[in-house]
Amino acid sequence: MGFEQQLQSELAALAGHEDSVVELCGLLSPGRLIVTDEGEGRPGLWMTVEPASADLWAAVRELHGRTGLWPLLLESSPHDSEFRPWESGELSLEKITSPDLHDHATLLATWWAQHTEVDADTDQLSPTERIAVTAPYGQHWPGLAPGKPFTAEPASFAVEYAVHLTAQNPDIRLGLAAAGRGADALAAAGWMGPLNYTNDTGEIAAVLRSWEDRFGAVVVGVGLADLYLSIAAPPSTLQEALHVAAEHFAFCPDNIWQNSHPHTLATYAERLVGLNSWQFWWD
């Protein structure tokens, strides 16, 4: 079987149909299907062998409506010979449920309550210091941040971010996941980045769907435990940013606990004003 025939067969197996992937095959270089659970599960995604360009990401995204395959820029740790978690198949579909089963507002409120809970026996911070981390809200969940009108098509910001990510990491590869929208691609691939917070990436996808609708978020790239989104409608004032930052804390508290100095919601929010990309990292 020649390269293009094999590629067409693999993509059709992933997407569930063959006719629409023919055009896509002409864009792609050699790659292979990645089977979840280290080769013991189902195909999670297809991945190129060689590094990918932003132009390729953009071209594949343009065809998504016809192929049902969403492009992901896949990164790994520097000098990782296994290109984890992708090449090693450290993905799992077993515990991932459909995003349709989850309400994003309920998820964020529940996670906020969990992450702002004060435990005097185990917490390294005093109750006063712990509540100060999420000031001005403390332990009070402020609810969902209102959405904003898009100043341009989300796709244009996504392509710009793809250019940035590929320039920043020349080893980044292209992955294809069978998903009706970008928010669902991580669950479809079996990604387990937030493993220490949730085993069900369907919950993550439910929140991403809401951010797609409210802020023009586009899932562009993903790593072992990192997630990269482009944003078409970021907060434009500090007050708006604080409200959005509360959602970020509920979604990924490590962004505040470990990635900002000082480790406070207010300082983190300052960085969100006018920012057309959001990055998340789970320890």
Side-chain angles (χ1 to χ4, degrees):
M1 183 183 295
F3 161 68
E4 188 161 330
Q5 287 179 308
Q6 180 178 350
L7 176 59
Q8 188 171 327
S9 175
E10 290 175 344
L11 295 185
L14 192 62
H17 45 83
E18 186 169 340
D19 293 342
S20 61
V21 302
V22 174
E23 187 178 357
L24 185 58
C25 290
L27 298 173
L28 299 173
S29 60
R32 69 180 183 90
L33 280 175
I34 303 298
V35 179
T36 61
D37 297 316
E38 299 180 358
E40 300 296 325
R42 294 171 283 159
L45 75 162
W46 184 92
M47 183 180 71
T48 59
V49 174
E50 299 297 329
S53 68
D55 286 343
L56 177 59
W57 184 92
V60 174
R61 193 212 59 79
E62 279 285 328
L63 294 175
H64 170 256
R66 300 200 291 277
T67 66
L69 295 171
W70 185 266
L72 295 167
L73 290 174
L74 306 177
E75 72 167 12
S76 185
S77 300
H79 313 300
D80 185 346
S81 60
E82 292 186 282
F83 205 74
R84 299 178 58 210
W86 318 108
E87 194 77 55
S88 56
E90 294 173 70
L91 309 165
S92 180
L93 295 166
E94 183 179 351
K95 296 181 180 179
I96 295 178
T97 58
S98 169
D100 293 336
L101 300 176
H102 307 289
D103 176 69
H104 63 278
T106 300
L107 286 170
L108 289 169
T110 301
W111 290 337
W112 173 272
Q114 292 172 348
H115 303 329
T116 58
E117 183 179 7
V118 175
D119 187 339
D121 293 330
T122 61
D123 206 329
Q124 295 180 353
L125 300 179
S126 69
T128 300
E129 290 172 327
R130 171 58 63 202
I131 292 173
V133 168
T134 47
Y137 305 118
Q139 291 178 295
H140 170 71
W141 169 238
L144 296 179
K148 294 175 62 66
F150 305 163
T151 58
E153 283 296 315
S156 63
F157 293 100
V159 172
E160 289 181 12
Y161 197 34
V163 170
H164 169 76
L165 290 176
T166 52
Q168 189 179 50
N169 186 348
D171 294 324
I172 210 163
R173 301 193 202 176
L174 182 77
L176 302 179
R181 55 196 290 181
D184 296 355
L186 303 177
W191 181 64
M192 300 188 297
L195 182 63
N196 291 332
Y197 289 97
T198 175
N199 289 320
D200 187 355
T201 312
E203 295 179 340
I204 298 297
V207 175
L208 295 180
R209 284 180 173 187
S210 176
W211 287 350
E212 279 183 348
D213 297 337
R214 285 184 289 145
F215 306 112
V218 177
V219 179
V220 179
V222 63
L224 181 64
D226 296 83
L227 174 61
Y228 303 97
L229 311 177
S230 66
I231 304 298
S236 55
T237 68
L238 182 56
Q239 190 58 44
E240 290 177 354
L242 275 168
H243 208 159
V244 171
E247 292 194 33
H248 284 205
F249 180 79
F251 182 73
C252 179
D254 286 332
N255 266 30
I256 285 81
W257 285 340
Q258 300 196 40
N259 276 4
S260 60
H261 301 282
H263 309 296
T264 66
L265 196 72
T267 300
Y268 177 80
E270 292 175 358
R271 303 170 189 177
L272 294 181
V273 177
L275 187 64
N276 288 111
S277 62
W278 294 347
Q279 178 179 346
F280 299 95
W281 172 76
W282 290 266
D283 190 2

